Amino acid sequence: MILLKIRPAWAGIAVLTGALLLAGQAKLCANGFYIPVQDPFATSRGNAFVATADRPSAIYYNPAGLTQLDAVSTHLGLYGVRLGIEADTDIDGLRHENDAEFIPLPQLYIAAPVGDRLAAGIGVNAPFGLRTDWGAAPFGQVATETELVYLTSWGVLAYKLSESLSVGGGIGVTHADGTLKRLAAPGAEFVFEGDDMATNWIASVLWNPDERHSFGVTYRARTDLDLEGSAAVPAAGLPGADASLDLVTPDTLVVGYAYRPDDYWTIEANVEWVNWSRLGVATLRQAPLPDSPIPFNWESNFMYGVGVTYAPDETWSFNAGYIYIENSQPDLNFNPAVADADRHWLSAGVNYAADGWDISLAYQYAFGDRTVRDRTAIPDGNDLVAGAYTSRFHGVMLSVNKSF
């Protein structure tokens, strides 16, 4: 292994934390590296949308909802998020800050009815990813910089079984490109880069028993990736060697209920289960050395979202919402590249619709704190990462929809 040539004592940490860094991107919604917000209209009301799903973004939220569209509809959106994480570490008693920046994440959806009962849609979005950059913080031996670029292309169909019941589903094709860095020795970083393509699938149901009530269920399957590339320590003059890392993004199940007491108000609540237990033990391979097992051992968690829409007329609507998301990373496996914690997300937004155009704008603010004292799974890592971690995130999302 490359790091053995520099300092044998670092070898175990390099293998273990290398994989932790890649899978542990600074994440959205305190949920590993999952990015569930994919439409500003849905996002601004607490991402509670699976039981409504009457926009092109239903391709992701609930494909069965596409049967509600009566014309070709397109959605082009962009989400910018700033991940502000600060750490008061025990090792030096100082405060260190992640080099946060607004990270743009795109969404594109195109949907159309095909006959009286069938609808189809295609889309591209980024349901996982993001990055952190701690620089030469005292836990640089554990985490310096990570990045995961993750794009999924979707193709879905929806079919109306009856006037009140629709089903939907399809296939997703993902391309993932990961980079991780950590200090191997003073002034020298261990760098792993790899990419892969994989497929998964989505299935959903939408039931509208009457005009006031609707229910939705969506399941997205896991994605198994094997990021193939190279690992090197460039500053030490050690060239890249073939390396790979298996990475799993979890399956999710979301259930929602929407209530419309009149023509002006919609109230919706969603509960989403994210199966992070899939991320058990990964493997870093760097031939001709033996495979190195990497214990993640994350825990499955829940997201609870509730939101409200007030639409005084057919032109304007106003949304507000709240999401509570449980921590998915146990103390035993804590890593500052994730710095996971229970987090609260507040959101608000406005939507304007006229002449076939639909423009949505949303803002999010998140906060969450966590103190780490228990020994981590990284050898001697507890002395490096113990302390108090504070998260303050800001997100802005804009989309333009057009119906033809």
Side-chain angles (χ1 to χ4, degrees), residues 4 11-12 46 62 76-77 80 123 135 141 144 173 205 238 242 255 269 295 302 312 331 353 356 367 391 396 398:
L4 289 173
N62 184 344
L76 179 62
Q141 301 162 12
T144 55
V173 179
V205 176
L238 297 175
D242 291 344
V255 178
F302 285 92
D331 283 355
F367 58 94
S391 302
V396 178
L398 174 68

Side-chain angles (χ1 to χ4, degrees), residues 77-146:
L78 191 67
Y79 179 44
V81 59
R82 183 181 186 276
L83 304 175
I85 306 174
E86 296 183 348
D88 291 301
T89 58
D90 291 353
I91 192 171
D92 60 6
L94 301 177
R95 170 162 290 196
H96 303 273
E97 185 175 357
N98 171 47
D99 185 14
E101 60 186 36
F102 273 96
I103 304 167
L105 300 166
Q107 312 101 37
L108 171 64
Y109 307 109
I110 303 173
V114 184
D116 294 335
R117 292 182 174 272
L118 186 66
I122 58 174
V124 178
N125 64 3
F128 294 91
L130 300 187
R131 67 184 297 270
T132 54
D133 185 356
W134 288 102
F139 41 71
Q141 301 162 12
V142 177
T144 55
E145 182 178 345
T146 58

Side-chain angles (χ1 to χ4, degrees), residues 3 10 13-14 17 21 140-142 144 181-184 188-190:
L3 294 181
W10 291 93
I13 297 178
T17 64
L21 288 175
Q141 301 162 12
V142 177
T144 55
K181 299 179 182 179
R182 58 161 301 280
L183 292 179
E189 281 188 319
F190 167 80

Side-chain angles (χ1 to χ4, degrees), residues 11 143 157 208 352 376 393:
L157 294 173
N208 298 297
Y352 173 80
T376 71
F393 298 169

